[in-house]
Amino acid sequence: MPGTPEGGFVRRIGLFQATAINMSQMCGIGPFVTIPLMVAAFGGPQAVIGFLAGAVLALADGLVWAELGASLPGAGGSYVYLRQAFQYRSGRLMPFLFVWTAMLFIPLIMSTGVVGLVQYLGYLWHGMTQTQGDLVGLGVIALVVGLLWRGVEHIARITAVMWCVMIASVVLVIVAAFTHFDADQAFTYPAHAFDLNTSQFWTGFAAGLTIGIYDYLGYNTAAYMGAEIKHPGRTLPRAIVASILGIMGIYLLLQIGTLGVVDWHHMLAPGSTASQSVASAVLEQTWGKGAADVVTVLILITAFASVFAGLLGGSRVPYDAARERVFFRPYGTLHPRHRFPVLGLATMGVVTAAGFLIGRHTDLATLIQLLTTVMVIVQALAQVLAVTVLRRRRPTLRRPYRMWLYPLPSLVALVGWLVIYGYADKNSPGRHPIEWSLAWVAAGCVAFLLWARAEKVWPFGPKEISEEYAAGADPDAESPMAAEETRK
């Protein structure tokens, strides 16, 4: 039974820890390296629109995650939701495609965090060579995997500490910015900045929305650990909404404060401190070089915490799939003592390292486009549909949380993800992210057919319908043994 200490995960993570895991993943190095990218997308300080648009999409999509996570709180997050929703027509195709895709996009997103960490380290380590930066990044990834190679109760405490460091770093940057804030600089916009009748505005908006949602990604991290969350029917929705609202406030203050100190034109200059380490530039211009060095160290810890939280949640994705014979079976094995998925963590660590090395020689904005287009098809759009499918297919499923104003948030999320996907090629000329995403999904379909033939399941065998979390079952309930383990 999921949640028992003998055969699966133990529910040990409460609301504060779940929110800290989400926020640590959301506010890693992302906003510190993407503020210049956002300014470049919009062509001026009106770039704040991107963070607002990203918050709206994150909140709408977060409510999708909240309903699914509260009613289906299993290990693997999207894998569980897609398996339960689409098994009636396409068997195990959708969950297989999700795991196939997640084993790529989750660690690659983490690799962008390590790229940003090394980028900020360059502010402290003058003259760092390309090879030295590569070795540092690989060492950081090895350290993250080593720290995750232990019991979840220790991880929860480590995450809470790093969450506090993350909050300290962003608060210091915000306070420093507003002690030397120039309102004219922050709110003086170029001509036609808000001209909605030009294609340039909407292309910039789509690019900004993509960067914005990238910065908010992580509001769902705790949902991947649904089998380890105490009282998930209450905890997951609250953690998702609280983390999005909290990070939205932080990002807006950070963006506006930065624009009030650093001239946005300097952020567009290749190789400048403002374009590479904008938060360090803020501290250097306000409190001096010493303060900038200290806060840069805190930002490095924040970036580390983000990668830590992302691999923590992501490594759980293939576990439930393998246990249900929808992925390679060795991924369904937990560490005999610490109860974490060994092969899932090891594989994602390796892919993160490979993505880091690729990202060191790739434009960050383009890499973000490539990652999000793959994620949109198999996860984002599919989950929006899954909410409606489950409401119709399983109306009696226990839902501790039901989406507010349904189906409006689903529709907002649907439109937002389609905008990101539709403008991907225009925002990444010559890179063809849409074509690459479709090719990856097509390869996944071929892999599924080969796997399905070997396993003799649909379409080469009968559909196996498994309606877990049956009507009336309380997903918050723990077995007596799990409850005793939690008290220990």
Side-chain angles (χ1 to χ4, degrees), residues 91-115:
R92 302 181 182 182
L93 173 62
M94 288 304 297
F96 181 94
L97 284 178
F98 167 72
V99 178
W100 168 267
T101 305
M103 292 294 288
L104 176 68
F105 77 74
I106 291 177
L108 288 185
I109 290 175
M110 297 308 101
S111 71
T112 65
V114 184
V115 170

Side-chain angles (χ1 to χ4, degrees), residues 78 82 86 93-102 105 372-383 437 440-441:
S78 294
L82 300 184
F86 298 110
L93 173 62
M94 288 304 297
F96 181 94
L97 284 178
F98 167 72
V99 178
W100 168 267
T101 305
F105 77 74
T372 50
T373 48
V374 174
M375 183 190 71
V376 165
I377 300 178
V378 179
Q379 182 184 49
L381 296 181
Q383 283 194 180
S437 67
W440 181 256
V441 173

Side-chain angles (χ1 to χ4, degrees), residues 193-459:
F194 301 99
D195 188 351
L196 305 185
N197 296 319
T198 63
S199 60
Q200 181 179 357
F201 175 86
W202 292 110
T203 301
F205 177 85
L209 179 61
T210 304
I211 295 168
I213 196 61
Y214 165 80
D215 283 329
Y216 283 97
L217 287 179
Y219 53 84
N220 50 13
T221 301
Y224 286 121
M225 307 172 65
E228 299 165 88
I229 302 294
K230 292 189 290 187
H231 312 299
R234 299 191 301 273
T235 299
L236 282 176
R238 294 175 182 177
I240 289 170
V241 174
S243 60
I244 293 171
L245 294 179
I247 290 295
M248 178 183 69
I250 289 172
Y251 282 176
L252 291 177
L253 291 173
L254 190 63
Q255 170 83 28
I256 295 171
T258 298
L259 290 169
V261 173
V262 179
D263 188 333
W264 64 270
H265 295 90
H266 296 165
M267 300 183 195
L268 306 182
S272 67
T273 300
S275 66
Q276 297 293 312
S277 311
V278 69
S280 302
V282 170
L283 266 297
E284 187 173 327
Q285 292 186 35
T286 55
W287 293 350
K289 185 65 167 60
D293 290 344
V294 172
V295 173
T296 300
V297 171
L298 294 181
I299 291 173
L300 295 176
I301 297 173
T302 298
F304 183 88
S306 175
V307 177
F308 182 90
L311 287 182
L312 167 63
S315 63
R316 269 64 178 168
V317 172
Y319 167 75
D320 205 47
R323 191 180 61 173
E324 297 293 331
R325 293 193 306 119
V326 184
F327 205 60
F328 302 107
R329 297 187 184 187
Y331 283 90
T333 302
L334 294 177
H335 190 281
R337 178 183 176 188
H338 297 306
R339 316 304 296 169
F340 68 87
V342 178
L343 193 55
L345 176 59
T347 301
M348 288 200 173
V350 171
V351 177
T352 300
F356 163 74
L357 293 176
I358 294 171
R360 287 274 289 166
H361 305 276
T362 304
D363 174 67
L364 183 58
T366 300
L367 183 57
I368 291 171
Q369 289 281 359
L370 293 170
L371 293 170
T372 50
T373 48
V374 174
M375 183 190 71
V376 165
I377 300 178
V378 179
Q379 182 184 49
L381 296 181
Q383 283 194 180
V384 171
L385 181 59
V387 170
T388 299
V389 169
L390 285 170
R391 285 206 177 198
R392 293 180 178 179
R393 283 277 187 178
R394 300 180 62 180
T396 59
L397 177 68
R398 180 181 174 87
R399 292 177 172 84
Y401 167 79
R402 297 177 70 89
M403 182 189 299
W404 304 327
L405 301 176
Y406 173 85
L408 182 59
S410 292
L411 295 176
V412 172
L414 177 66
V415 171
W417 290 120
L418 288 176
V419 167
I420 288 173
Y421 193 78
Y423 277 82
D425 277 345
K426 291 185 178 181
N427 290 322
S428 300
R431 301 287 186 175
H432 308 294
I434 291 179
E435 288 82 351
W436 281 109
S437 67
L438 293 175
W440 181 256
V441 173
C445 290
V446 173
F448 171 77
L449 292 174
L450 296 174
W451 172 85
R453 179 179 287 277
E455 294 285 340
K456 295 182 174 58
V457 298
W458 183 90

Side-chain angles (χ1 to χ4, degrees), residues 88-152:
Y88 304 98
R89 291 189 178 275
S90 57
R92 302 181 182 182
L93 173 62
M94 288 304 297
F96 181 94
L97 284 178
F98 167 72
V99 178
W100 168 267
T101 305
M103 292 294 288
L104 176 68
F105 77 74
I106 291 177
L108 288 185
I109 290 175
M110 297 308 101
S111 71
T112 65
V114 184
V115 170
L117 186 152
V118 174
Q119 184 174 310
Y120 261 79
L121 182 61
Y123 181 80
L124 300 176
W125 184 352
H126 300 291
M128 180 176 59
T129 66
Q130 183 77 23
T131 300
Q132 289 171 334
D134 292 345
L135 292 175
V136 168
L138 293 175
V140 167
I141 295 168
L143 179 59
V144 169
V145 173
L147 288 175
L148 289 171
W149 210 270
R150 60 190 64 237
V152 70

